[in-house]
Amino acid sequence: MTTTAAHSGEPDTAAEILARAKALAPVLRERAAEIEQNRRLPADVVELLRGTGVFRMGSGREWGGPELTSMDQTRVVEALAYGDASAAWCGAIGSLTGPITSFLDAQVVKEVFPRQDMITAGVLAPAGHAERVPGGFRLTGRWSFGSGIDHSDWVTSGAFVFEDGKPYASPDGSNPHESRQFLVPRAQVETVDNWYTTGLCGTGSCDYTITDVFVPENHTYTFYEPRGRTSPLSTPDAFMRMLCGVALGVSRAALDHCREIATGRIDRMTGTAWSDSFRVQVTLAECEADFNATRNAVYGGMTRLWEVLEAGGEPTPEERAASPLSWLHAYRTSRSIVNRLYDLLQTWSINRSSPMDRWLRDTTTMCQNLPAQDIVLESVGAYLLGGTPKFRISLGITT
């Protein structure tokens, strides 16, 4: 693999991509209601996101990409979420293209990703059936919660492998029923129009089906077999790190929105300025404290993990555990902050025209995502105790 020149006009530094994301945030805020009503990102919004560089931010330097650190990627997602959570969610999901290249052969990367801003979406859970055939697999299945599928270029999907209709065991005996990821062109995927939900309405996270599609052997991969250059982005958990930036960006937006209202509001019953109200002061200060502690935990754990991996070291159990715990805490704390601010603003929150209504629903919905569930706590606890974690990918471990 050789480094390629950057394409003309594409952002190639963390500072430039972040600046573009921040500049787009007000536009996304203005179009948030439209995005929500559309139930997927409008085509021009997808292109606006592409223009920020978010979809190419994890692409390796050997492919001409900027290869942002996980910390910088998270900052970009935060900035987009400050404008709209659905757009940021799809931006983070679509940026999977970069890390996926670490698990594919170089020739395949050149073939399927001629540009580094192409969008990959899909569901990693092995919900499909992949039958071994000469040269590859016949893939069939239905997957749920395919965020960003509608505007993607490639779809990656998890499936269990079968041979002659029977579960296929890994040749080395490590897995009695092997599962893999399968990369399929978007044109060979059918979407199911069933995304009617509480929040994150604009992500288009519908079900999708793949029916008897041939997938060449070299278009499949696992997260435990890096084929390209080893880096902190070629570990199983790299796909999940930046997504909690959506929660952080939403809670920051809610805090700023509430503070702006409180600064100029007078209580009609008492004539007291909200800026002098004990209730308002304490609620805002408590929420700021929770936000700062949560955000610092995310970046602190992420930075330490990156430093160890970049140096070629083996993270301690505590260093591995810190990141997934901070992601979960970010989702749950964001929901808590928005709930408290929603109550603080009272009837100023309840109209659909208020961003608080959307943020309440968005944070409630993102907390139903797997990284915000108790299985993370269970898996981290098992790992710290020397047991067997159920959700290994969140810890970035291969055994």
Side-chain angles (χ1 to χ4, degrees):
M1 293 180 287
T2 58
T3 300
T4 59
H7 297 288
S8 177
E10 291 182 339
D12 279 296
T13 66
E16 185 177 4
I17 295 173
L18 180 58
R20 292 192 182 194
K22 288 181 176 179
L24 183 59
V27 177
L28 296 176
R29 181 79 63 87
E30 289 177 2
R31 300 192 59 182
E34 174 195 349
I35 291 170
E36 185 169 56
Q37 185 176 14
N38 199 51
R39 295 188 298 115
R40 57 183 58 83
L41 297 188
D44 70 313
V45 171
V46 174
E47 294 311 309
L48 289 172
L49 285 171
R50 200 189 305 269
T52 67
V54 64
F55 296 131
R56 66 191 305 270
M57 64 182 179
S59 177
R61 290 185 295 274
E62 64 269 32
W63 301 112
E67 195 173 331
L68 268 60
T69 67
S70 292
M71 295 76 76
D72 284 329
Q73 291 184 42
T74 306
R75 292 184 186 100
V76 170
V77 175
E78 270 192 281
L80 294 172
Y82 193 84
D84 181 68
S86 289
W89 193 269
C90 288
I93 295 294
S95 71
L96 295 183
T97 296
I100 284 175
T101 62
S102 298
F103 302 93
L104 296 170
D105 291 333
Q107 190 56 44
V108 175
V109 175
K110 295 177 183 178
E111 171 193 338
V112 301
F113 299 127
R115 303 190 327 273
Q116 296 310 300
D117 60 357
M118 296 180 72
I119 301 168
T120 304
V123 178
L124 307 183
H129 179 116
E131 188 73 24
R132 276 194 168 274
V133 296
F137 304 84
R138 305 297 304 190
L139 178 64
T140 297
R142 177 168 176 158
W143 292 261
S144 298
F145 308 114
S147 302
I149 286 292
D150 191 65
H151 59 256
S152 65
D153 298 299
W154 288 88
V155 176
T156 185
S157 307
F160 283 108
V161 177
F162 294 80
E163 189 170 46
D164 298 325
K166 298 178 181 179
Y168 177 82
S170 300
D172 60 4
S174 61
N175 194 334
H177 194 180
E178 184 177 283
S179 65
R180 302 185 70 79
Q181 296 294 317
F182 297 81
L183 201 58
V184 173
R186 168 64 181 86
Q188 294 181 296
V189 176
E190 295 291 330
T191 58
V192 181
D193 188 15
N194 64 347
W195 186 242
Y196 297 88
T197 185
T198 301
L200 294 177
C201 301
T203 60
S205 303
C206 60
D207 287 12
Y208 65 92
T209 62
I210 297 173
T211 305
D212 197 32
V213 169
F214 175 72
V215 183
E217 177 88 35
N218 62 3
H219 284 206
T220 74
Y221 63 96
T222 76
F223 295 123
Y224 307 117
E225 300 175 26
R227 299 178 187 176
R229 174 175 55 85
T230 300
S231 79
L233 294 177
S234 60
T235 60
D237 61 319
F239 297 82
M240 307 171 65
R241 293 175 195 156
M242 91 292 286
L243 197 57
C244 70
V246 181
L248 294 174
V250 169
S251 52
R252 181 69 263 167
L255 278 161
D256 290 351
H257 173 75
C258 193
R259 185 175 174 183
E260 181 181 358
I261 290 176
T263 300
R265 192 175 186 189
I266 305 295
D267 191 299
R268 288 178 294 180
M269 299 292 291
T270 66
T272 302
W274 271 37
S275 58
D276 292 326
S277 166
F278 176 83
R279 178 180 72 93
V280 176
Q281 293 166 343
V282 170
T283 300
L284 280 174
E286 286 181 339
C287 288
E288 281 285 353
D290 286 350
F291 174 79
N292 290 333
T294 300
R295 188 174 187 273
N296 287 337
V298 167
Y299 284 100
M302 196 182 292
T303 300
R304 178 56 186 162
L305 182 64
W306 185 277
E307 290 171 347
V308 174
L309 293 174
E310 189 174 41
E314 175 60 31
T316 66
E318 293 76 17
E319 288 167 341
R320 283 201 183 277
S323 278
L325 291 177
S326 71
W327 307 337
L328 179 144
H329 198 247
Y331 290 118
R332 294 185 176 183
T333 302
S334 176
R335 177 174 60 179
S336 172
I337 289 172
V338 171
N339 279 341
R340 283 177 281 166
L341 296 178
Y342 185 97
D343 288 344
L344 178 65
L345 293 183
Q346 300 170 338
T347 54
W348 283 48
S349 297
I350 63 176
N351 289 322
R352 283 299 174 100
S353 60
S354 166
M356 290 303 304
D357 170 78
R358 183 169 53 257
W359 291 328
L360 182 75
R361 292 182 287 104
D362 284 344
T363 53
T364 296
T365 299
M366 70 179 72
C367 278
Q368 311 317 311
N369 192 39
L370 189 59
Q373 297 297 302
D374 283 348
I375 189 173
V376 173
L377 299 175
E378 181 182 2
S379 296
V380 171
Y383 178 65
L384 292 174
L385 292 171
T388 304
K390 293 180 180 178
F391 191 23
R392 295 186 303 161
I393 192 172
S394 68
L395 288 154
I397 56 176
T398 59
T399 57

